[in-house]
Amino acid sequence: MRAVRSFPQIYDLCYHLHTLFLFTKADIRTALVPQTVLALAVAPTRRASHTLHVVAWIWLHLLMCNTANQIKAPDEDKINKPFRPLPSGRITLRHARTFRWVLIPVCLAFSAGYSAQLLVTSLELQALAVFYSEFHGDEHWLLKNSLTAAMYGCAGFGGTLLAGADWSRVDQTGRLAIQLSTAVFASTLHAQDFKDVSGDRLTGRRTLPTIFPVASRISIALGIPLWSICLSLVWNLDLLSSAAFIAYSCFTGVRFVLYQKVDDDRRSCKFYSLWLSIHHVLPAYWDFCMAASSVWGMAPFTALTQL
């Protein structure tokens, strides 16, 4: 009898958890996964046992940012992402607005439980989110891209703090990797906007694909391979790994020019998200190769081939 009575409560809990997931669903592949990979790749004295901490912190702040963004223009999501909680009717706009502000102290308290440095990072990310959503920072493409990339960098920094043994420190390699990740994302993140052009035009949001539909695609086709060449040099990839990484980046970039339907752009965005995750692994490759070189006295690629 108790089990029967508890079933509605279990159903309600699952319903609300699914609603939270839908707020962040569209950014799992482009934000949560790449930033988790980055954190685990570059954290000093990284610990696999901290993975859940990293995922939870990044996801919670992603939920905060996404909720703030989605309550601003729910009509846009009726076209671009009808599965989200507001257009699908899973939550009212009034409740979503309340939830958006409740998340602020929740994120701060969660961060403060780890370290002062993580609390500061959370504060910085939330200030950027307020500027983006409440102060209309998303209405001009340059400011939108800059703020989004800055939030992306904060998420990567926070995740990297949590992935390491010391929750208050990120070493120089980690800082360089986060800075490169932020720069790469700032200059290529409009790859995610092509699939949302219809909704952006409806709401008047000015993104690169709506203002420069041809030039923005060309910039992706050139930018992703050029960044791949640069990253291959920075992280000292061997010839074979560099060739594979650059070839994949050319494939990904060219897709945005050759295939321009909405479904094609969605598929291309998936390839772009995978490219983000791959380039976040490169610092770990460099770290491993340097360690192998110092221990075995071999060139990095030679050490790899003899393991």
Side-chain angles (χ1 to χ4, degrees), residues 162-206:
L162 282 174
D166 185 350
W167 289 331
S168 62
R169 186 181 69 88
V170 174
D171 63 14
Q172 290 300 314
T173 300
R175 290 180 183 275
L176 174 61
I178 293 167
Q179 289 165 1
L180 285 171
S181 171
T182 303
V184 168
F185 194 64
S187 56
T188 62
L189 66 87
H190 57 283
Q192 305 173 64
D193 294 331
F194 293 113
K195 65 184 185 303
D196 297 330
V197 165
S198 297
D200 290 337
R201 285 177 176 158
L202 176 68
T203 58
R205 177 175 287 179
R206 294 170 61 81

Side-chain angles (χ1 to χ4, degrees), residues 49-227:
S49 59
H50 290 186
T51 302
L52 288 179
H53 299 265
V54 174
V55 172
W57 189 89
I58 295 175
W59 180 82
L60 184 61
H61 286 76
L62 181 63
L63 176 64
M64 182 271 298
C65 292
N66 283 13
T67 305
N69 184 40
Q70 290 170 37
I71 62 176
K72 183 177 180 180
D75 290 339
E76 175 190 335
D77 285 334
K78 290 180 180 178
I79 297 175
N80 291 338
K81 300 177 180 73
F83 60 84
R84 281 178 166 173
L86 283 167
S88 64
R90 296 179 70 93
I91 189 172
T92 65
L93 184 58
R94 181 173 67 87
H95 288 152
R97 283 174 176 159
T98 302
F99 181 59
R100 181 262 183 278
W101 295 108
V102 167
L103 282 170
I104 290 181
V106 171
C107 289
L108 293 176
F110 188 67
S111 302
Y114 290 98
S115 69
Q117 182 63 58
L118 194 63
L119 174 61
V120 171
T121 304
S122 179
L123 278 169
E124 292 173 346
L125 201 160
Q126 296 197 46
L128 291 167
V130 169
F131 191 28
Y132 182 96
S133 298
E134 278 71 31
F135 288 89
H136 313 294
D138 63 330
E139 293 182 1
H140 187 276
W141 69 267
L142 182 57
L143 188 57
K144 172 184 178 293
N145 286 16
S146 300
L147 289 171
T148 303
M151 288 187 283
Y152 193 79
C154 285
F157 188 81
T160 303
L161 284 171
L162 282 174
D166 185 350
W167 289 331
S168 62
R169 186 181 69 88
V170 174
D171 63 14
Q172 290 300 314
T173 300
R175 290 180 183 275
L176 174 61
I178 293 167
Q179 289 165 1
L180 285 171
S181 171
T182 303
V184 168
F185 194 64
S187 56
T188 62
L189 66 87
H190 57 283
Q192 305 173 64
D193 294 331
F194 293 113
K195 65 184 185 303
D196 297 330
V197 165
S198 297
D200 290 337
R201 285 177 176 158
L202 176 68
T203 58
R205 177 175 287 179
R206 294 170 61 81
T207 63
L208 270 176
T210 60
I211 303 171
F212 308 109
V214 177
S216 58
R217 288 186 181 274
I218 294 174
S219 70
I220 289 295
L222 296 176
I224 293 178
L226 288 175
W227 268 119

